[in-house]
Amino acid sequence: MQKDLESVTDPVPPAGQLRISIVVPVRNEEGNIAPLVRDIENACTDLGAFELIYVDDGSSDGTAAALAGLSATRPWLRVVRHAQSCGQSAAVRSGVRAATAPIVATLDGDGQNDPAFIPAMLAQLEAAGPSAGLVQGQRFGRKDTGFKRMQSRIANKVRGAILRDATRDTGCGLKCFRRETYLALPYFDALHRFMPALVVREGYDVLHHDVRDRQRLTGVSNYGFFDRLWVGILDLAGVWWLIRRRKRVPQIVTEAR
């Protein structure tokens, strides 16, 4: 099933049907589609009813054809396609909006995030109860180049010092969160890198889970790292302002009829 970006809405997930929706944003990842879909299938088969939503962010290679072939034999695999590339945050948002389960897991489409950790992260979020809004993956055994690892360390230290979000690796794409919590967050480009701080801003707890990093299966990175300093500083300043402007979260105890 394929939808253009413009047709995706915010439906209310049907109660008691799917346990989890898994969202994977991709752009020009033709060679990584089939291996990662198989890994996700193997990791999540025992979870009960689930759906896998791939968001094709305007790919110009064979990504769309690879997804079409796999979805023909896997009814739980859905495809949302952007007419043109809008970036990773937009792709994640399109996938979450299209999701029909109350809990969503995300992971990058290059194969570096190991989906074997999804069941444990889902169980951790469910066990924590409604006060928890996010389980944030934190990578160990990083497989990126030394230069990218250095960039990530610097970005995370600066972000942590300013936002105090108690998260050492917000750039990890492996996350598990409540759909309604995500949709309550203010949307902007690079939102996925600031989710822990913004989830706390909404009054929810953030949990952490160490996850193993893997080598990219094929190809090269198609989404920019948090290394565009001027953009990163502007985003960081904006999130800091949002947190400073936060009001007390209303706790509704009665409802008039």
Side-chain angles (χ1 to χ4, degrees):
M1 181 170 145
Q2 183 164 303
K3 298 180 181 180
D4 290 329
L5 174 63
E6 294 79 6
S7 66
V8 177
T9 59
D10 294 334
V12 177
Q17 292 190 8
L18 298 180
R19 185 178 178 191
I20 188 171
S21 298
I22 301 160
V23 172
V24 183
V26 289
R27 179 161 67 91
N28 294 336
E29 296 285 4
E30 176 183 2
N32 294 322
I33 300 298
L36 185 55
V37 168
R38 286 195 296 267
D39 284 350
I40 294 170
E41 184 174 11
N42 291 335
C44 299
T45 296
D46 294 336
L47 292 180
F50 74 94
E51 66 179 353
L52 173 58
I53 302 173
Y54 261 79
V55 182
D56 180 0
D57 187 31
S59 295
S60 57
D61 65 352
T63 293
L67 287 169
L70 290 168
S71 63
T73 58
R74 292 167 171 82
W76 40 264
L77 173 57
R78 301 166 55 199
V79 180
V80 173
R81 178 171 171 80
H82 290 179
Q84 58 187 12
S85 179
C86 298
Q88 187 171 0
S89 283
V92 169
R93 183 168 175 82
S94 291
V96 176
R97 291 175 64 196
T100 56
I103 293 178
V104 176
T106 62
L107 67 159
D108 294 339
D110 57 10
Q112 285 196 254
N113 297 152
D114 189 344
F117 291 94
I118 291 176
M121 294 173 71
L122 171 61
Q124 186 178 2
L125 184 64
E126 290 177 333
S131 64
L134 166 70
V135 177
Q136 170 67 52
Q138 299 194 127
R139 292 166 288 188
F140 65 87
R142 295 288 298 275
K143 304 302 182 184
D144 287 318
T145 64
F147 181 58
K148 283 191 173 182
R149 290 198 300 271
M150 179 189 70
Q151 289 178 313
S152 183
R153 282 196 299 269
I154 293 172
N156 278 309
K157 285 182 178 179
V158 172
R159 187 211 69 256
I162 294 174
L163 301 184
R164 303 181 185 276
D165 58 8
T167 301
R168 64 172 170 82
D169 182 18
T170 64
C172 179
L174 196 51
K175 308 175 195 289
C176 188
F177 49 86
R178 302 188 189 281
R179 180 178 182 270
E180 63 178 10
T181 300
Y182 174 91
L183 293 175
L185 302 180
Y187 174 72
F188 57 94
D189 195 26
L191 165 63
H192 62 288
R193 294 195 177 276
F194 295 96
M195 276 187 66
L198 292 172
V199 167
V200 170
R201 176 182 181 269
E202 292 298 316
Y204 295 96
D205 296 331
V206 173
L207 310 175
H208 300 92
H209 197 99
D210 286 345
V211 299
R212 180 177 58 252
D213 199 33
R214 307 192 296 185
Q215 293 282 0
R216 163 179 270 277
L217 297 176
T218 65
V220 297
S221 176
N222 293 288
Y223 284 122
F225 222 80
F226 189 50
D227 56 0
R228 295 180 180 136
L229 183 59
W230 56 94
V231 175
I233 289 174
L234 289 174
D235 288 338
L236 187 58
V239 173
W240 176 84
W241 181 86
L242 284 170
I243 292 172
R244 295 273 295 185
R245 295 289 296 172
R246 174 182 177 271
K247 301 293 185 182
R248 185 183 300 276
V249 178
Q251 299 295 321
I252 299 175
V253 294
T254 61
E255 180 178 350
R257 294 186 180 276

